[in-house]
Amino acid sequence: MCGIVGYVGEKNAQDFLVSGLKRLEYRGYDSAGIVTLGADGEATLVRAKGKISNLEEKLAGAKRNDTIGIGHTRWATHGEPSERNAHPHQAGPIYLVHNGIIENYKELKKALKDFDFKSETDSEVLAALIESFYGEGKYPLANAVVQALKLVKGTYGIAVVSVLKPDEIVVARSGSPLVIGIGHDETLIASDASALLGHTKQAIYLNDGEVATVTEKSVEIKTLNAEPVSAKVEEIETNLAAIQKGGYEHFLLKEIMEQPDSLTETLRGRMNLEDGVVHLGGPGLSEAELRKIKHLVIVGCGTAYHAGLLAGYYIEKFTPEITVEAVIASEYRYRQAYIPEDSVALIVSQSGETADTLACLREIKKQGVKTIGIVNAIGSTIAREVDGGTYVHVGPEISVASTKAFTSQVIAMVMFGLTIAQAKGVKSGILKPYVSEIARMPEEIRKVLDEVRGEVEKIAGKYTKYEHGIYLGRDVAYPTAMEGALKLKEISYVDANAYAFGELKHGPLALIDDRFFEMALLPDGELYDKAVSNVQEVLARGGHIIAATNVDKFDLPVETVVKITTDIELFAPILMNLVSQLFAYYMTIAKGYDVDQPRNLAKSVTVE
Ligand code: M6R
């Protein structure tokens, strides 16, 4: 989604703004722009549609030594991607960059009838509104910003500068993240701490309803009601290596391949293999509270939702008297669902900033239900607003398609389920197999990735001729199939859907023809024979099946088999998901599309 950067200090502002925007590229964008201010009061505004390289080309003819400026990558919401709709937006002496959505921009625009609007954006309306309170510099910029924000409905993270005061940036947030980096003789602004790495590790995370005036050497924060806020400076935990490709051609492949290590980080210090017990401190629930839990609501979007669905299947298997409902955040927030007593809500999000998931969290809290975050991004809004939580610690996930986060989210939630089961007194004989498989998963993931990577690459090249993919699975392999289909469609643009094997006869079987291939996830186990019958039904109708399986003596006459050699049983679908991840990756490479930044999508969906 959109990205914000800002710089005030002694160095060249354009340099930081461009490098910062490049760091934020992964969030998804369609245009970019920066403005810098000279001490002479001259502003240099450069904007371009498309990639940041287009912006750089334009900047080559507009080099400046200015030491203050703001920049933005835009992901279009109001108005097409174009130079005129790109940020920063100007209103008189003011320039503004904005993430989020101003919901009442039409009314505000009507009231600002004398302003000559140049774009179709809601953001320009906010710039004009701030200018209307600025009185040509008669009032401090922060005051004008506060006056304007008090009239705004919606979400925002903003950075504002004025040519009349070219030594300060005013920033504010409500629902859209903003971080202030504290450097030596420089202060930096970003919507994502990764843009600050290499410059400083000291950061202040702004909270909703706060406005900060930032200069080279100072940061003054107040609430919208003018109450002073004492800033908490925190250490940014990510390092530079974690946001680089580390020798891989794409972040996606790097993130798929680093799952053995990222899962190891998820598990670190959280299980004792000798006694087969899981220790999760983060949720902060006492044994008595854990014992009382009867219902789990798991909230997420996209991959996080699939992780919740899959974890729910597992948790229900080993925890007695508990029901689990995984829900899509964008639906749940408006469902007015009653959450039964003795429920706990798991709020799942890689970025910790997803607007719909955050809205659900707030709704659920209003009902007095305990919320536990399953979050990756440290210090993110969801992580800060939940009652307790377990970070998955997979490190930055840069590629828009989520991979390593999924694997760790599932395992982290299963571990939370295990802590409930332990507290409820479930026999260790039932829980130990789960604990012991979880402990072995990082190494098994490593082995499977090595085993199947080359093979999947070859297969994917052959399957580019199909227009549609059907992903199939039963039980725990069903949510896994959903995740595989999502991965394929979002990066390779091949239409892909998932069905529970048992649902085939109820409609989807009619689809089978030569335009379709089927990815069948066939873990060994209780329901394997039933899945085999379903495979036969597809074969009988001329299906083009790829089977991903860990069954030793697999002998079905399918078109392609990807064999996984493992002694993991319970979590075999997670290993099969590695096949789906690699398949989507190599299919996309074969088709020649942008793997890490698929069209129309953003990494972190901070608008509804
Ligand atoms: O940051 P979150 O985990 O809250 O993001 C949720 C979804 O937007 C995300 O998983 C999305 O579906 C991915 N692009 C899927 O690969």
Side-chain angles (χ1 to χ4, degrees), residues 310 314 406-407 441 444-445 448-449 452 456 471-474 476-478 480-481 483-484 519-525 528 547-551 554 562-566 568-583:
L310 179 52
Y314 283 115
F406 173 80
T407 304
M441 279 298 275
E444 288 297 310
I445 289 176
V448 171
L449 285 171
V452 302
V456 174
Y471 283 62
L472 296 159
R474 264 182 185 271
V476 280
Y478 171 48
T480 316
E483 175 55 13
M519 173 73 82
L521 306 185
L522 297 167
D524 205 354
Y528 174 68
T549 184
N550 59 336
V551 171
F554 185 83
V562 182
K563 190 67 203 313
I564 290 170
T565 320
T566 179
I568 290 287
E569 289 171 10
L570 301 164
F571 295 109
I574 294 185
L575 300 177
M576 280 159 204
N577 190 50
L578 305 173
V579 174
S580 300
Q581 292 174 346
L582 287 167
F583 185 75

Side-chain angles (χ1 to χ4, degrees), residues 71 109-110 158 162 172 229 327 399 420-421 431 448 517 570 601:
K109 197 168 183 174
K110 246 190 232 158
I158 56 169
S162 161
V229 174
V327 295
S399 194
I420 299 173
L431 304 184
V448 171
F517 76 87
L570 301 164
L601 296 182

Side-chain angles (χ1 to χ4, degrees), residues 19 53 56 80 119 144 153 188 254 263 387 477 515 521 531 585:
S19 67
S53 51
E56 285 184 292
E80 55 170 14
S119 79
K153 286 197 195 114
L188 310 103
K254 176 190 175 221
L263 183 57
D387 299 310
R515 294 168 304 151
L521 306 185
Y585 172 75

Side-chain angles (χ1 to χ4, degrees), residues 308-357:
L309 271 178
L310 179 52
Y313 271 71
Y314 283 115
I315 295 170
E316 285 185 342
K317 283 179 197 295
F318 58 70
T319 317
E321 299 155 19
I322 204 167
T323 56
V324 186
E325 186 191 15
V327 295
I328 296 173
S330 58
E331 287 294 308
Y332 197 70
R333 63 184 290 188
Y334 297 113
R335 255 176 57 188
Q336 294 166 341
Y338 165 72
I339 304 181
E341 244 183 85
D342 299 325
S343 294
V344 163
L346 298 185
I347 313 295
V348 195
S349 177
Q350 186 285 126
S351 62
E353 302 293 349
T354 301
D356 286 317
T357 312

